Amino acid sequence: LQVDLWQPSSPFHMVRGTVADVRVPRDTTRSLLPYLQQANIPYTILISDLQQAIENQTGGRSHRNRRSLSGYDYEVYHSLEEIEDWMHYLNRTYSDLVHMFSVGKSYEGRPLYVLKLGKRSRPYKKAVWIDCGIHAREWIGPAFCQWFVKEALQTYQTDPDMRRMLTQLYFYIMPVFNVDGYHFSWTNDRFWRKTRSKNMRFHCHGVDANRNWKVKWCDEGASLHPCDDTYCGPFPESEPEVKAVAHFLRKHRKQIKAYLSFHAYAQMLLYPYSYKYATIPNFNCVESAAYNAVNALQSAYGVRYRYGPASSTLYVSSGSSMDWAYKNGIPYAFAFELRDTGHFGFLLPETLIKPTCTETMLAVKNITLHLLKKCH
């Protein structure tokens, strides 16, 4: 549970016995700590200067030589502009394996770019969809999408598994789903989550793009209030980003056999359902894929991921992209919650990008190879 003391409604949602992650304005800290001690509430200071931690990730970018795409640094976080320049560069440089296209435009008019990755070996191939950055503040997601593409292109010639994956499958990769929100998280509010659409009745912006899908829309785990982080929107697919991706997935539903969405943070690998406690029809195949994937992930650095149905492993939520994908005929639908479990939270340091992406890559390859085995 994350609580901002400058949002008066938040503290009332705290439940006795739960752990709350509280962001405190600097001038409030001295008065708050004695209160916590007096009330016998245990606390730990995780990040002593949050503003400085934010500036460490977003400021001082000139030394990274941001325009040198041939020397692109995958171990730092990149702005939307940098990521889009990188995508254009790959489209020009690796035309035999990469095709860049747009599935539509965002609320603020930005293109929604996707990379189609794979060898054009036959007219029809099965495909895997990968998206990152549905929630703007979860920067490790887009970092992983870029890492996946880098690994695929660099190891295609030398890794038999990667060659098999790119020969037998296409990968549709959307490095930044929520482009407006991601841009806003760089320029205005590092902890922004939602899209940036305007609400006519309230001064609040945005919709939770992972509560806006047409599957048990705005039921449990979603909010009808436009100012809430989990606002489901005025109607399903109200957000042009969600509508564009849903249209593409519907159009290619016979081809796409796996849907992978990358979030943070919790260290979990989740599968349907999110909106109810029930067992999916192909549970054995999906459970087996998840089990093997988290074991492969753990083999890199010993990091443990929990896995299971999202409703019982994380929490109940309605209108999610994963449930929608599964309900629309994509048999393997997963949502990753990447590092960590709360110490750094959304501010995962750049020094942890490489280990996080390295271990996650093992899990994704494992799921993909499992898919090729045609488990029924």
Side-chain angles (χ1 to χ4, degrees), residues 268-369:
M268 294 178 180
L269 177 53
L270 308 171
Y271 53 80
Y273 298 104
S274 292
Y275 70 89
K276 65 178 179 179
Y277 300 106
T279 302
I280 54 176
N282 63 335
F283 170 80
N284 288 340
C285 286
V286 171
E287 171 83 359
S288 172
Y291 171 79
N292 291 328
V294 297
N295 283 339
L297 186 149
Q298 188 177 343
S299 70
Y301 303 100
V303 174
R304 291 179 177 272
Y305 269 48
R306 292 172 59 198
Y307 68 96
S311 56
S312 56
T313 309
L314 185 57
Y315 48 64
V316 174
S317 63
S318 57
S320 74
S321 64
M322 179 183 69
D323 280 352
W324 183 92
Y326 186 77
K327 283 284 194 177
N328 278 267
I330 299 176
Y332 287 87
F334 291 100
F336 280 80
E337 292 283 350
L338 300 180
R339 293 198 198 185
D340 57 7
T341 56
H343 184 93
F344 297 109
F346 302 119
L347 283 179
L348 193 73
E350 291 178 323
T351 53
L352 295 180
I353 292 176
K354 181 177 180 179
T356 302
C357 292
T358 299
E359 67 194 10
T360 307
M361 192 75 195
L362 295 176
V364 172
K365 287 178 71 175
N366 201 279
I367 289 173
T368 304
L369 295 171

Side-chain angles (χ1 to χ4, degrees), residues 14 16-18 32-44:
M14 293 172 66
R16 183 179 295 276
T18 61
L32 176 67
L33 297 186
Y35 168 79
L36 294 175
Q37 291 165 350
Q38 184 180 352
N40 199 26
I41 299 173
Y43 67 89
T44 304

Side-chain angles (χ1 to χ4, degrees), residues 15-311:
V15 178
R16 183 179 295 276
T18 61
V19 176
D21 182 5
V22 184
R23 288 183 266 159
V24 185
R26 189 175 294 149
D27 56 1
T28 311
T29 307
R30 287 184 181 177
S31 60
L32 176 67
L33 297 186
Y35 168 79
L36 294 175
Q37 291 165 350
Q38 184 180 352
N40 199 26
I41 299 173
Y43 67 89
T44 304
I45 298 174
L46 298 177
I47 302 174
S48 58
D49 191 332
L50 189 64
Q51 186 60 38
Q52 186 59 53
I54 292 171
E55 290 171 4
N56 288 344
Q57 292 186 356
T58 58
R61 316 247 325 140
S62 58
H63 69 281
R64 294 180 184 170
N65 198 11
R66 56 191 286 173
R67 295 295 176 192
S68 176
L69 286 167
S70 59
Y72 195 77
D73 191 346
Y74 293 88
E75 295 182 39
V76 300
Y77 295 117
H78 288 280
S79 67
L80 181 64
E81 179 190 20
E82 290 172 322
I83 294 171
E84 289 181 344
D85 286 348
W86 167 80
M87 294 172 79
H88 283 290
Y89 172 79
L90 294 184
N91 193 49
R92 293 191 306 269
T93 311
Y94 297 92
S95 56
D96 57 329
L97 287 172
V98 175
H99 170 61
M100 177 182 176
F101 63 96
S102 171
V103 294
K105 288 196 172 182
S106 70
Y107 179 85
E108 293 180 342
R110 294 182 174 88
L112 302 171
Y113 286 129
V114 174
L115 293 176
K116 182 181 181 181
L117 186 62
K119 194 73 178 171
R120 298 182 184 94
S121 51
R122 60 186 87 147
Y124 174 85
K125 290 201 297 183
K126 293 177 182 178
V128 174
W129 171 275
I130 297 175
D131 65 48
C132 300
I134 281 184
H135 292 143
R137 62 195 178 193
E138 299 167 9
W139 286 10
I140 188 60
F144 173 72
C145 265
Q146 294 167 80
W147 188 276
F148 178 88
V149 175
K150 181 241 339 170
E151 284 293 300
L153 295 176
Q154 289 183 353
T155 65
Y156 171 70
Q157 298 290 350
T158 56
D159 180 358
D161 286 339
M162 185 59 73
R163 176 176 282 274
R164 185 179 171 214
M165 286 162 57
L166 296 186
T167 302
Q168 297 190 23
L169 298 166
Y170 282 125
F171 290 85
Y172 293 107
I173 300 153
M174 191 175 197
V176 186
F177 184 112
N178 179 9
V179 288
D180 295 346
Y182 185 74
H183 177 74
F184 191 77
S185 74
W186 274 83
T187 58
N188 292 76
D189 180 357
R190 175 61 183 84
F191 294 96
W192 188 256
R193 169 183 168 101
K194 300 188 286 183
T195 62
R196 291 296 300 162
S197 55
K198 292 179 182 176
N199 187 281
M200 301 304 291
R201 291 183 55 213
F202 296 84
H203 291 296
C204 302
H205 284 73
V207 167
D208 185 340
N210 206 36
R211 301 291 186 276
N212 192 232
W213 298 72
K214 197 173 182 178
V215 53
K216 282 288 178 179
W217 174 78
C218 221
D219 208 318
E220 187 176 351
S223 172
L224 279 165
H225 198 289
C227 296
D228 287 345
D229 263 356
T230 55
Y231 175 46
C232 58
F235 53 87
E237 296 182 24
S238 63
E239 305 311 281
E241 301 87 350
V242 173
K243 186 174 183 178
V245 173
H247 174 74
F248 180 85
L249 293 175
R250 274 192 293 262
K251 187 177 177 182
H252 296 85
R253 77 173 93 197
K254 290 184 178 178
Q255 177 192 17
I256 296 172
K257 301 301 178 185
Y259 173 91
L260 307 179
S261 189
F262 290 85
H263 297 255
Y265 56 93
Q267 292 177 192
M268 294 178 180
L269 177 53
L270 308 171
Y271 53 80
Y273 298 104
S274 292
Y275 70 89
K276 65 178 179 179
Y277 300 106
T279 302
I280 54 176
N282 63 335
F283 170 80
N284 288 340
C285 286
V286 171
E287 171 83 359
S288 172
Y291 171 79
N292 291 328
V294 297
N295 283 339
L297 186 149
Q298 188 177 343
S299 70
Y301 303 100
V303 174
R304 291 179 177 272
Y305 269 48
R306 292 172 59 198
Y307 68 96
S311 56

